[in-house]
Amino acid sequence: MRNRRIRSAATSTATAATVTALVTALALTACGPSDAVGASPKPDSTAAAASTSTDEPDTKASDKQRPPADQNADDSANNSTGNGSKNAATKTDAKSKSRTTTCTGSNTKVTVTEVTRPINHLLVTATNTGSGNCHAYYAPLLGFDDAQSVTQINEDSRPQAVVTLAPGESAYASIALGGDGSPDIAAYRLGVHFAGRDNQGSVGSAANLTLPEGTMISDSTSVSYWQSTMADALVW
């Protein structure tokens, strides 16, 4: 009787184990190999494709909204060049329309003054009082008192270019009273004439000035060419 109970229990246990094994096998078959314990998850291709599509910029739309940087730079350069050419042309036209004349006593104010340095020197200044530019050619043609000839010119003082005066600007020339010696002849009046472009004598009207009191000249008194600055004139 006891042995029968033991066999019955063993049979029940074996049956239960068999049933459990079948249930497990059926469950594994239904889930598939990817759901098994330890298996790597499979990537969701739909989600990856959506992510890729979202992350990539729409280059076509971007190209349509914005012109290329190089094109912007070229357009800017072309506009700048065009404006610069127009401005240059305007300035050239304005300059060509203004008539430049020869400086004379009628379109300048001429003065003569004594300077402390260098000694025995006078400074002649011609200021443009006209409405346009004028050229101060060569050197002033000077005549002291009743002299029959013009004062000699210091050829070493020739500038590299003709001095051109805009309205209000001045040209300068220095008079070395002693020249190579000592001034010993009293002088009272000075006539300042202007040379023409061809340097064949004076043109226009002259400026007649009174010399500073006590002015003395010599036989070797000389005058410099017209200079654009006072400092350049007083070198001579």
Side-chain angles (χ1 to χ4, degrees), residues 24 29 37 43 45-46 62 64 74 95 103 111-112 117 126 143 145-146 150-151 161 193 213 215 224 226 228 236:
T24 301
T29 303
V37 178
S45 59
T46 302
S62 177
K64 290 181 180 179
D74 291 342
K95 188 174 181 180
C103 296
T111 62
V112 57
R117 289 287 184 276
D145 294 329
D146 298 325
V150 297
T151 302
H193 298 259
E213 186 177 355
T215 297
S224 73
W226 289 116
S228 58
W236 312 101

Side-chain angles (χ1 to χ4, degrees), residues 102-110 125-130 134 165 169 194 207:
T102 300
C103 296
T104 65
S106 62
N107 60 11
T108 62
K109 178 182 179 181
V110 184
T125 304
T127 303
N128 184 356
T129 58
C134 71
L165 304 181
E169 293 183 339
F194 292 82

Side-chain angles (χ1 to χ4, degrees), residues 132-199:
N133 296 348
C134 71
H135 295 309
Y137 290 109
Y138 305 101
L141 306 176
L142 304 183
F144 288 92
D145 294 329
D146 298 325
Q148 298 300 309
S149 60
V150 297
T151 302
Q152 62 182 332
I153 298 171
N154 185 343
E155 293 295 337
D156 292 336
S157 65
R158 182 192 292 265
Q160 294 183 350
V162 174
V163 177
T164 302
L165 304 181
E169 293 183 339
S170 299
Y172 307 89
S174 64
I175 303 174
L177 296 173
D180 296 331
S182 298
D184 53 5
I185 304 171
Y188 304 95
R189 299 182 309 277
L190 179 66
V192 180
H193 298 259
F194 292 82
R197 182 176 182 179
D198 58 3
N199 198 24

Side-chain angles (χ1 to χ4, degrees), residues 11-58:
T11 301
S12 298
T13 300
T15 301
T18 302
V19 171
T20 299
L22 289 173
V23 171
T24 301
L26 290 173
L28 290 176
T29 303
C31 294
S34 60
D35 294 335
V37 178
S40 300
K42 207 174 185 182
D44 189 343
S45 59
T46 302
S51 176
T52 303
S53 175
T54 302
D55 292 342
E56 290 182 357
D58 188 351

